[in-house]
Amino acid sequence: MDIDIILMSFGGSKDSRILKEAIKKADSENITLIASTGNTALSNNSITYPAKYEEVIAVGAITENNERWVGSNTGKELTVMAPGHKILSTSIDGNYTIRSGTSLAAAHVAGGLALLLSYNPLLDNKDLREIIIQSSIKKTPDGYRIFNLEEAFKICKNSEK
């Protein structure tokens, strides 16, 4: 079974040699790694591991007004922001609920990248990272890139391999 994208909606404050080695191995095998940055900005605004690793696309959360969601961790490792505030989601009891958090934002980016890969399966993980950066034409008021899937598709179409 081939794996193209791994979404990691977990985080911790401590570096892990084993996790870091697994991340490096996955990256070297052309797997795109995406992780949420964490939801502790009000108490400790430090991006969590694995989002802190350079091989990982670190995703923070924005509100419907393209502003940083108050709980979203930010920092130099942040790659991009995506919708993560008041998102309709499923709950464990089979119903729907409204949730906020960087895990929702990271899932948004992972889904978008999966669509790009289905359009052009020849894209590698480095291409996808570059497309994220190039497609982020809008920024939050505090200067963080905002993922834009429509722009990403335009870039993807114009640079077909």
Side-chain angles (χ1 to χ4, degrees):
M1 175 167 83
D2 289 330
I3 297 173
D4 296 314
I5 296 172
I6 295 175
L7 171 60
M8 298 172 282
S9 291
F10 62 88
S13 59
K14 294 184 181 176
D15 192 1
S16 163
R17 182 184 53 79
I18 293 170
L19 180 58
K20 189 173 189 172
E21 287 173 8
I23 297 275
K24 285 187 175 296
K25 183 172 181 358
D27 181 63
S28 73
E29 293 181 8
N30 193 34
I31 297 172
T32 301
L33 303 156
I34 302 164
S36 52
T37 60
N39 303 322
T40 60
L42 293 174
S43 61
N44 176 16
N45 188 25
S46 179
I47 291 179
T48 58
Y49 292 98
K52 214 168 198 170
Y53 296 125
E54 67 182 80
E55 298 84 1
V56 176
I57 295 168
V59 183
I62 56 171
T63 68
E64 57 276 4
N65 297 321
N66 290 336
E67 296 172 341
R68 182 182 67 84
W69 171 62
V70 68
S72 179
N73 293 3
T74 57
K76 64 181 170 80
E77 300 90 352
L78 180 77
T79 308
V80 70
M81 302 286 253
H85 180 244
K86 295 184 181 176
I87 305 296
L88 183 64
S89 184
T90 54
S91 64
I92 197 164
D93 62 6
N95 291 310
Y96 293 95
T97 186
I98 302 290
R99 299 215 186 269
S100 297
T102 59
S103 291
L104 297 152
H108 181 92
V109 172
L113 294 184
L115 288 171
L116 290 176
L117 272 179
S118 71
Y119 176 78
N120 184 350
L122 298 177
L123 294 170
D124 64 23
N125 57 356
K126 307 297 185 253
D127 296 329
L128 291 174
R129 179 182 287 276
E130 188 57 33
I131 288 170
I132 283 177
I133 291 167
Q134 289 179 16
S135 69
S136 300
I137 56 177
K138 288 185 179 178
K139 293 190 176 183
T140 65
D142 39 359
Y144 297 109
R145 292 183 200 96
I146 299 173
F147 179 62
N148 184 317
L149 185 58
E150 184 177 357
E151 286 298 317
F153 263 106
K154 288 179 188 175
I155 292 166
C156 189
K157 282 179 126 176
N158 293 332
S159 65
E160 286 191 33
K161 286 187 171 185

